């Protein structure tokens, strides 16, 4: 069964005098455990697709289903709660909460889910160990390198045990070593724990690791390739 | 909630310089407001208390015609009955029965119109604290025959000192003009220079001889234990003695009553201005904060933080900021009031006479009720919450997809 399914997805931006069609009849199915990279030139609609699939934006037309539940018709508050329970986000600029320590950043999501303190602590520490940040529990983001921050962001994205993780250009701001390190971690999570990953990226290093590469051109899927790795 | 509190508190200190500047602004704003209010309240309270204590008392009883004509023939014939009723009443602190005559006071070089009060010296010690108001001489002690007390304004004008002789001229009860020599025993000073120029006090028995009538009572002044009981007690007396005009301090001195109400309004306006400025300062600071943290707020909304929580977080941040500033401002304000309350602030270099002319003491003792601090705290909190609603609303209106990408 597909974790994510889109039907004739369209997105038109009317912010300028000339309407811009960012997505054009996108039909897509992503199965549980896939490691998918969405690629394409700037302005091809990668981020828009991720935003709509992640429930951060609404399509102009078409439908989005997560585990057969249609999310594009959900009210704001329900959608926020849905995101909290089902979707993990990793952003290009890490976007950790600067006033919280690494462990608090990870716990924060579970706190929103009303988990017990004991469970939050246990899982936050476990996830931070998993991404190689065992010695940085009590360090705030401004004392961490970009790569370390992104690893904490991955731990945060995993904290809510989401159905999938959406990562928008997660390696764009990282040096090569940090990028490889991050990709190793995410590939392992995908391989060993069957975490479904969807990346939007320009980064060849990511594309090489992905098992499915969807290419968008002018808002439409121009190529959808599967690889066995 | 605990983490939300933690995040909000830490967010307050993210931009330390800005938060400290804002906290200082709130603090010094409130300090200024508290001290100005205490100063104004102290000034008005002193004037009010002094007027009640030294001039009008809480209640006065007159013959209705006496009020119109100022003729000493209009007497309170039931004075003894009233006096014994007052003696046995627990609400009454003190009372005094007076004979009042309009007349002329003269010495070798000056003449002045005065109101001559024939008093019982012991009663007036308690009722208008006359003995405490003396600035020169003594309280009817050094002069054995016809002693008189004058106000300092009159004494200065007529260049009179204790021991000097003056002549009082007035109409007796038979309508004949009578004159007598009095010797100045003491000079008093109240906070009202007009009063000090107009009223002179002699012993009731001395005046009775000259008036050709004993037991003439034209005015009964009553000092109560509690100000709040004035109106009820006045009504009670009026019911018992309907033939007399019985007036409360507010009726006797409408300016005093107006001043009392006007002060409350002035203080409210003063505090409102400060709170208004606080609200705009806060609005500006919080809008800047929202603008600077758009991406972070976008992330919070993206990862599933509910709008209620985001809204609460902004309100909490604002509240922390305001509470910190308010505690600081209230502490230094209360400390300043406490430090200056006992000794008072001497404003006589700015013109003691001018203050006295308007019925104020030149030494002001700032004062504030604890209720004021409580009300202020509530008002500040309400203002801060109201001022933070718009920034919090702006935060809610962010589109998470756009916000997370904001540079």
């Amino acid at each position: 069964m597909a974790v994510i399914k889109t039907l004739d997805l369209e997105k038109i931006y009317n912010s300028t005098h000339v309407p811009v069609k960012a997505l054009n009849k996108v039909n897509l199915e992503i199965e549980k455990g896939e490691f998918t990279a969405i690629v394409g030139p700037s302005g091809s609609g990668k981020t828009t697709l991720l935003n709509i699939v992640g429930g951060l934006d609404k399509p102009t037309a078409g439908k989005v289903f997560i585990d057969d539940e249609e999310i594009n018709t959900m009210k704001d508050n329900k959608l926020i709660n849905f995101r909290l329970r089902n979707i993990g986000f990793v952003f290009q600029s890490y976007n950790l909460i600067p006033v919280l320590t690494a462990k608090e950043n990870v716990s924060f999501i579970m706190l929103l889910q009303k988990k017990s303190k004991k469970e939050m602590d246990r899982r936050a520490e476990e996830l931070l160990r998993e991404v190689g940040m065992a010695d940085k529990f009590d360090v705030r983001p401004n004392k961490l390198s970009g790569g370390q921050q992104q690893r904490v962001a991955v731990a945060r994205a995993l904290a809510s045990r989401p159905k999938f993780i959406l990562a928008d250009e997660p390696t764009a701001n990282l040096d090569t070593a940090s990028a490889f390190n991050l990709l190793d971690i995410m590939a392992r999570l995908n391989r060993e724990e069957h975490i479904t990953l969807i990346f939007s990226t320009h980064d060849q290093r990511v594309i090489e690791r992905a098992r499915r590469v969807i290419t968008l051109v002018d808002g439409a899927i121009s190529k959808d390739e599967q690889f066995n790795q | 909630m605990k983490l939300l509190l933690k995040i909000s508190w830490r967010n307050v200190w993210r931009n330390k310089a800005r938060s400290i500047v804002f906290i200082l602004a709130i603090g010094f704003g409130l300090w200024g407001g508290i001290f100005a209010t205490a100063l104004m309240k102290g000034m008005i309270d002193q004037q009010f208390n002094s007027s009640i204590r030294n001039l009008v008392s809480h209640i006065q009883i007159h013959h209705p015609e006496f009020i119109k004509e100022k003729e000493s023939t209009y007497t309170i014939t039931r004075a003894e009955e009233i006096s014994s009723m007052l003696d046995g009443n627990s609400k009454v602190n003190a009372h005094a029965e007076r004979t009042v005559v309009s007349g002329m006071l003269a010495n070798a070089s000056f003449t002045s119109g005065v109101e001559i009060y024939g008093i019982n010296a012991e009663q007036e010690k308690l009722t208008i604290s006359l003995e405490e108001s003396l600035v020169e001489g003594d309280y009817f002690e050094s002069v054995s025959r016809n002693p008189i007390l004058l106000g300092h304004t009159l004494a200065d004008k007529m260049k009179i000192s204790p021991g000097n002789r003056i002549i009082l001229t007035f109409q007796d009860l038979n309508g004949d003009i009578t004159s007598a020599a009095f010797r100045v025993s003491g000079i008093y000073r109240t906070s009202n220079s007009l009063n000090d120029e107009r009223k002179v006090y002699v012993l009731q028995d001395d005046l009775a001889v000259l008036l050709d009538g004993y037991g003439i009572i034209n005015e009964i002044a009553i000092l109560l234990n509690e100000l709040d009981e004035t109106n009820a007690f006045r009504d009670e007396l009026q019911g018992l003695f309907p033939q007399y005009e019985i007036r409360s301090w507010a009726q006797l001195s409408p300016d005093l009553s107006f001043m009392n109400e006007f002060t409350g309004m002035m203080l409210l306006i003063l505090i409102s201005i400060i709170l208004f400025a606080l609200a705009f300062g806060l609005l500006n600071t919080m809008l800047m904060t929202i603008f600077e943290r758009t991406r972070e707020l976008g992330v919070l909304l993206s990862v599933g933080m509910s709008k209620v929580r985001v809204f609460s977080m902004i309100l909490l941040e604002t509240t922390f900021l305001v509470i910190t500033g308010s505690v600081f401002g209230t502490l230094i304000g209360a400390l300043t009031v406490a430090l200056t309350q006992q000794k008072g602030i001497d404003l006589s270099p700015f013109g003691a006479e001018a203050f006295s002319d308007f019925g104020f003491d030149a030494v002001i003792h700032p004062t504030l009720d604890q209720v004021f601090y409580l009300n202020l705290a509530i008002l500040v909190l309400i203002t801060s919450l109201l001022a933070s609603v718009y920034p919090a609303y702006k935060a809610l209106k962010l589109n998470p997809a756009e916000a997370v990408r904001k540079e």
Side-chain angles (χ1 to χ4, degrees), chain B residues 31-279:
Chain B
W31 170 75
I34 288 170
F35 190 59
T37 306
L39 205 60
M40 202 187 286
K41 193 171 183 321
M43 196 158 89
I44 300 299
D45 277 6
Q46 276 170 246
Q47 200 258 357
F48 180 81
N49 291 332
S50 147
S51 294
I52 294 286
R53 199 76 183 95
N54 301 126
L55 302 174
V56 292
S57 305
H58 290 118
I59 293 170
Q60 284 187 13
I61 305 175
H62 298 96
H63 189 289
E65 291 303 314
F66 178 82
I67 294 166
K68 291 180 204 157
E69 306 292 336
K70 290 282 177 190
E71 294 273 348
S72 46
T73 45
Y74 296 113
T75 59
I76 302 169
T77 50
R78 294 175 72 185
E80 262 184 52
E81 192 185 338
I82 295 172
S83 179
S84 54
M85 180 264 178
L86 294 174
D87 281 338
N89 197 303
S90 61
K91 289 177 187 166
V92 178
N93 182 311
H95 61 94
E97 290 78 39
R98 300 165 182 159
T99 309
V100 185
V101 185
S102 294
M104 299 289 288
L105 183 147
N107 68 357
S109 41
F110 288 98
T111 303
S112 183
V114 289
E115 282 179 356
I116 306 157
Y117 279 73
I119 59 167
N120 174 323
E122 287 308 307
Q123 281 187 334
E124 297 296 352
K125 265 187 193 175
L126 303 171
T127 312
I128 55 167
S129 314
L130 195 54
E131 190 179 17
E132 290 170 23
S133 306
L134 291 181
V135 286
E136 280 184 72
D138 55 51
Y139 192 63
F140 300 112
E141 287 150 9
S142 57
V143 179
S144 57
R145 190 161 177 271
N146 284 357
I148 185 169
L149 301 181
L150 307 181
H152 80 105
T153 323
L154 184 63
D156 288 351
K157 196 172 151 187
M158 299 186 74
K159 297 183 173 47
I160 295 172
S161 310
N164 288 168
R165 216 172 126 241
I166 53 102
I167 305 294
L168 283 182
T169 307
F170 51 90
Q171 209 173 33
D172 67 17
L173 294 174
N174 305 315
D176 299 326
I177 300 295
T178 182
S179 290
F182 282 76
R183 200 168 287 279
V184 177
S185 167
I187 294 171
Y188 71 88
R189 180 181 194 130
T190 68
S191 57
N192 189 319
S193 59
L194 289 175
N195 173 78
D196 297 356
E197 190 173 342
R198 190 93 192 125
K199 288 184 180 175
V200 298
Y201 296 96
V202 299
L203 294 174
Q204 208 159 36
D205 290 345
D206 295 344
L207 191 59
V209 173
L210 297 165
L211 270 177
D212 198 14
Y214 282 89
I216 302 296
I217 302 298
N218 303 106
E219 179 174 290
I220 299 176
I222 304 165
L223 190 70
L224 299 176
N225 288 315
E226 298 293 335
L227 177 76
D228 296 344
E229 289 176 341
T230 305
N231 287 335
F233 194 63
R234 189 212 76 85
D235 294 346
E236 188 184 332
L237 283 175
Q238 190 68 80
L240 290 170
F241 306 100
Q243 66 271 49
Y244 300 123
E245 187 81 24
I246 302 178
R247 294 178 293 172
S248 68
W249 61 267
Q251 293 165 308
L252 287 159
S253 183
D255 54 325
L256 207 58
S257 173
F258 171 73
M259 182 79 85
N260 222 18
E261 284 168 24
F262 179 71
T263 309
M265 203 168 68
M266 284 294 289
L267 297 181
L268 191 69
I269 291 170
L270 181 72
I271 292 298
S272 301
I273 292 169
I274 291 169
L275 293 180
F276 197 65
L278 164 71

Side-chain angles (χ1 to χ4, degrees), chain B residues 343-397:
Chain B
K343 203 175 170 197
I345 297 170
D346 189 0
L347 297 178
S348 48
F350 302 104
E353 285 301 318
F355 279 99
S356 179
D357 286 346
F358 287 98
F360 293 107
D361 271 345
V363 178
I364 297 169
H365 299 268
T367 180
L368 273 181
D369 305 331
Q370 285 181 341
V371 179
F372 172 85
Y373 291 109
L374 183 69
N375 288 341
L376 184 67
I378 293 168
L379 281 174
V380 166
L381 205 60
I382 291 172
T383 309
S384 66
L385 288 175
L386 287 177
S388 59
V389 166
Y390 181 65
Y393 173 77
K394 288 281 280 184
L396 293 191
K397 285 288 150 192

Side-chain angles (χ1 to χ4, degrees), chain A residues 178-227:
Chain A
S178 299
F180 274 123
N181 183 260
L182 182 80
L183 287 170
D184 284 344
I185 290 167
M186 296 191 81
R188 178 170 50 78
L189 288 168
N190 171 254
R191 199 171 50 244
E192 293 172 4
E193 298 182 27
H194 307 291
I195 305 280
T196 309
L197 299 174
I198 301 116
F199 282 51
S200 84
T201 187
H202 284 105
D203 191 338
Q204 197 55 39
R205 296 165 298 193
V206 178
I207 298 167
E208 284 167 9
R209 298 287 184 104
R211 282 185 280 149
R212 182 179 176 189
V213 178
I214 296 168
T215 308
L216 284 180
V217 177
D218 294 335
I221 296 175
S222 71
K223 218 189 302 177
D224 187 348
E225 303 162 283
Q226 300 271 359
F227 302 96

